[in-house]
Amino acid sequence: MPTRILPAGADPDAVRSLVTLLSQLPDAEPVPPVTDSTQLVDTLGRLAAESVDELPEVVVVHERIGPVPALELIREVALRFPAVGVILVTTDAGPGLFAAAMDSGARGLVALPLSYEELAHRVQAVAQWSTGVRRHLGHGGAEALTGAGGRVVTVSGAKGGVGATTVAIQLALAAQASGRATALVDLDLQTGDIASFLDVQFRRSVADLAAINDISPRVLADAVFRHDTGVALLLAPGEGERGEEVTDRSARQIVSALRTRYEVVVVDCGAQLSGAGAAAVEMADTALLVTTPDVVAVRAAKRTVRMWDRLQIRKAEETIGVVNRLGRATEIQPALVQRITGTALARTAVPANFKELQAVVDAGRVHELDSRSTVKQALWALAGELGLAAAPEGTPRGGGRLRGDRGSVSLRRRKE
């Protein structure tokens, strides 16, 4: 059986020479290359959702792939697709990088300029390892082969005050109430309010994990607060200046660690784009952008979408817009929001009824919002539409997947 090899790199010339050499290897079957980290993870997720057997045995990552650095990308692939062997191609083949690559989960390292003998030897060894792992796990290990892990949903605000935190909290509560182990992360690092909304006082925060290179389950458990509702909370630091300690690299490690422990990971990214928030949005399975139906907020949503696209964080069509505080007399309707921003749009809009929220917000007990509340009903319906929770009765069918939802590898992805 031929060895399927997936090359990944941003430099067209480097990838072309890599594909040429791979094509000369015995029993090798190079598949069309991918050009960036997002495309690589999406490709593997799509193949895994179709069938375990569709996954390539070997992925060859060039050091100059982007936007995610190569070692961080390798770590994510190793966590989500543990039976796919990854080889790093690099100009620096020294012992320092070799150790770092192995720590990230790579199965081999090949130095540039490429040597046919070295590449052939390394690919053969990694392919044998991958085949052995799959044979050992067998069909009963299909869940492990597809990188079974939590689904990451980020919630960002088009501007401050549009209700992103309320949306994030209610989505997490809905997922937990449906029997799914759920974590709620506050990456609004300077002004995060989840602790206040849920009446929580906890000494540890996401900043305490920022300097840890290998986040073990025990370390993660020490940093997480278990709320009365069952939701695991990873809070923003009480001292806003400590937010600077949470870099994009540490955010990736934290979110990756959480997705291996929880079925659903909801991340409140706030309205200000930080490196940590950008990393979370880029690696999320589903990215929500919350706006209100007014000119200022919709313009802010459009600016945010364009900025994400310029920074190669996320494309507009891969972002799901959520309209909050919608009223019958509102001049700006959801269809216009979708047309202006270019995002996919959740069918569920949240009604403008702050009176229902005011008492629980003032008391810091948002989790006690009455189930008869139209706001709560809409937000839990949104959770059902996104596939995070059982859809309430009356929710239109087909709400489990949206065009802007990349999907997680443990859920079947809809074919376009």
Side-chain angles (χ1 to χ4, degrees):
M1 180 178 177
T3 299
R4 289 159 300 180
I5 308 170
L6 176 58
D11 186 333
D13 294 333
V15 171
R16 192 179 302 113
S17 62
L18 177 60
V19 172
T20 300
L21 272 182
L22 291 174
S23 301
Q24 298 173 14
L25 301 181
D27 297 324
E29 183 184 321
V31 298
V34 295
T35 58
D36 60 43
S37 57
T38 300
Q39 190 180 1
L40 173 59
V41 174
D42 282 354
T43 298
L44 293 176
R46 184 173 62 253
L47 293 173
E50 293 294 333
S51 170
V52 171
D53 295 333
E54 295 298 319
L55 283 169
E57 286 78 19
V58 180
V59 171
V60 182
V61 176
H62 192 278
E63 64 179 354
R64 289 197 287 182
I65 195 170
V68 177
L71 292 182
E72 294 180 25
L73 175 61
I74 291 170
R75 184 185 298 274
E76 183 173 356
V77 171
L79 283 171
R80 297 181 64 178
F81 312 95
V84 174
V86 184
I87 297 173
L88 174 63
V89 176
T90 176
T91 54
D92 176 15
L97 182 61
F98 180 84
M102 297 304 106
D103 288 342
S104 297
R107 299 301 307 177
L109 187 147
V110 176
L112 290 169
L114 292 172
S115 161
Y116 174 85
E117 290 77 11
E118 184 183 8
L119 184 63
H121 173 74
R122 186 51 51 199
V123 167
Q124 182 181 19
V126 173
Q128 289 177 350
W129 172 85
S130 177
T131 302
V133 170
R134 299 179 190 207
R135 185 183 304 114
H136 175 72
L137 292 174
H139 293 293
E143 186 178 4
L145 291 174
T146 56
R151 183 169 172 201
V152 176
V153 179
T154 57
V155 183
S156 304
K159 56 182 287 294
V162 296
T165 298
T166 299
V167 172
I169 291 173
Q170 291 298 329
L171 290 180
L173 292 174
Q176 182 70 34
S178 292
R180 300 183 180 181
T182 303
L184 176 59
V185 186
D186 198 343
L187 277 186
D188 188 359
L189 297 170
Q190 278 77 40
T191 57
D193 287 325
I194 287 179
S196 297
F197 274 47
L198 296 177
D199 191 25
V200 170
Q201 293 183 352
F202 189 58
R203 184 170 55 87
R204 297 190 182 277
S205 73
V206 65
D208 294 305
L209 297 177
I212 300 175
N213 293 324
D214 186 11
I215 302 175
S216 67
R218 182 170 182 176
V219 169
L220 186 63
D222 287 342
V224 167
F225 176 83
R226 181 71 62 178
H227 192 259
D228 293 342
T229 59
V231 175
L233 303 178
L234 186 56
L235 303 171
E239 304 81 15
E241 64 273 15
R242 290 200 64 197
E244 297 181 358
E245 300 173 19
V246 186
T247 64
D248 55 344
R249 180 177 183 275
S250 57
R252 290 183 185 281
Q253 292 181 339
I254 291 166
V255 174
S256 294
L258 286 166
R259 85 186 316 160
T260 65
R261 303 285 295 176
Y262 298 94
E263 295 176 76
V264 175
V265 181
V266 180
V267 185
D268 179 5
C269 295
Q272 297 296 323
L273 184 67
S274 63
V281 171
E282 194 277 332
M283 70 186 297
D285 300 302
T286 303
L288 305 182
L289 181 61
V290 181
T291 185
T292 47
D294 58 83
V295 172
V296 175
V298 174
R299 284 179 175 174
K302 184 177 181 179
R303 286 197 305 271
T304 298
V305 167
R306 288 183 172 180
M307 178 173 62
W308 286 1
D309 186 61
R310 288 195 305 271
L311 297 177
Q312 298 184 356
I313 296 171
R314 205 169 189 96
K315 297 178 181 178
E317 60 270 21
E318 293 180 340
T319 303
I320 298 175
V322 176
V323 179
N324 189 22
R325 302 174 194 155
L326 181 68
R328 292 183 179 179
T330 304
E331 292 186 12
I332 298 178
Q333 291 296 307
L336 180 58
V337 175
Q338 182 178 22
R339 188 159 60 248
I340 291 173
T341 62
T343 64
L345 194 70
R347 290 191 301 276
T348 305
V350 184
N353 201 340
F354 184 73
K355 288 183 179 179
E356 297 177 352
L357 290 169
Q358 188 165 8
V360 292
V361 169
D362 290 344
R365 309 284 292 180
V366 172
H367 53 288
E368 294 180 354
L369 181 62
D370 195 309
S371 296
R372 294 171 295 181
S373 161
T374 58
V375 174
K376 180 174 180 176
Q377 290 175 1
L379 288 171
W380 284 44
L382 175 62
E385 182 181 342
L386 297 172
L388 304 179
E393 294 183 7
T395 300
R397 291 185 179 183
R401 314 301 289 161
L402 293 171
R403 179 176 176 83
D405 186 348
R406 291 182 182 176
S408 77
V409 293
S410 58
L411 297 172
R412 186 174 181 83
R413 191 176 187 176
R414 187 188 71 180
K415 294 183 179 179
E416 298 293 343

